[in-house]
mmCIF file of all heavy atoms in Angstrom:
data_model
loop_
_atom_site.group_PDB
_atom_site.id
_atom_site.type_symbol
_atom_site.label_atom_id
_atom_site.label_comp_id
_atom_site.label_asym_id
_atom_site.label_seq_id
_atom_site.Cartn_x
_atom_site.Cartn_y
_atom_site.Cartn_z
ATOM 1 N N HIS A 110 70.179 -77.045 -12.118
ATOM 2 C CA HIS A 110 69.867 -76.353 -13.414
ATOM 3 C C HIS A 110 70.663 -75.049 -13.464
ATOM 4 O O HIS A 110 70.709 -74.370 -12.448
ATOM 5 C CB HIS A 110 68.397 -76.214 -13.706
ATOM 6 C CG HIS A 110 67.654 -75.283 -12.711
ATOM 7 N ND1 HIS A 110 67.585 -73.990 -12.875
ATOM 8 C CD2 HIS A 110 67.044 -75.634 -11.597
ATOM 9 C CE1 HIS A 110 66.810 -73.408 -11.890
ATOM 10 N NE2 HIS A 110 66.506 -74.391 -11.043
ATOM 11 N N ASP A 143 68.609 -70.031 -6.987
ATOM 12 C CA ASP A 143 67.789 -70.966 -7.876
ATOM 13 C C ASP A 143 68.368 -70.965 -9.255
ATOM 14 O O ASP A 143 67.948 -70.232 -10.072
ATOM 15 C CB ASP A 143 66.289 -70.452 -7.848
ATOM 16 C CG ASP A 143 65.428 -71.321 -8.767
ATOM 17 O OD1 ASP A 143 65.798 -72.421 -9.111
ATOM 18 O OD2 ASP A 143 64.306 -70.798 -9.151
ATOM 19 N N GLU A 177 64.945 -75.758 -16.688
ATOM 20 C CA GLU A 177 64.056 -75.949 -15.561
ATOM 21 C C GLU A 177 63.052 -74.879 -15.424
ATOM 22 O O GLU A 177 61.846 -75.130 -15.117
ATOM 23 C CB GLU A 177 64.898 -76.080 -14.273
ATOM 24 C CG GLU A 177 64.170 -76.717 -13.129
ATOM 25 C CD GLU A 177 63.207 -75.838 -12.341
ATOM 26 O OE1 GLU A 177 63.408 -74.536 -12.329
ATOM 27 O OE2 GLU A 177 62.297 -76.350 -11.647
ATOM 28 N N GLU A 178 63.469 -73.639 -15.689
ATOM 29 C CA GLU A 178 62.526 -72.509 -15.572
ATOM 30 C C GLU A 178 61.486 -72.404 -16.657
ATOM 31 O O GLU A 178 60.624 -71.575 -16.622
ATOM 32 C CB GLU A 178 63.322 -71.218 -15.411
ATOM 33 C CG GLU A 178 64.323 -71.173 -14.199
ATOM 34 C CD GLU A 178 63.726 -71.302 -12.911
ATOM 35 O OE1 GLU A 178 62.408 -71.358 -12.733
ATOM 36 O OE2 GLU A 178 64.488 -71.361 -11.823
ATOM 37 N N ASP A 204 67.459 -78.012 -5.253
ATOM 38 C CA ASP A 204 66.769 -76.903 -5.995
ATOM 39 C C ASP A 204 65.601 -76.575 -5.157
ATOM 40 O O ASP A 204 64.604 -76.022 -5.615
ATOM 41 C CB ASP A 204 66.360 -77.447 -7.414
ATOM 42 C CG ASP A 204 65.844 -76.231 -8.164
ATOM 43 O OD1 ASP A 204 66.229 -75.089 -7.977
ATOM 44 O OD2 ASP A 204 65.089 -76.533 -9.144
HETATM 45 ZN ZN1 LIG C 504 65.013 -74.012 -9.541
#
Side-chain angles (χ1 to χ4, degrees):
Chain A
H110 63 90
D143 179 19
E177 200 277 339
E178 301 297 359
D204 189 24

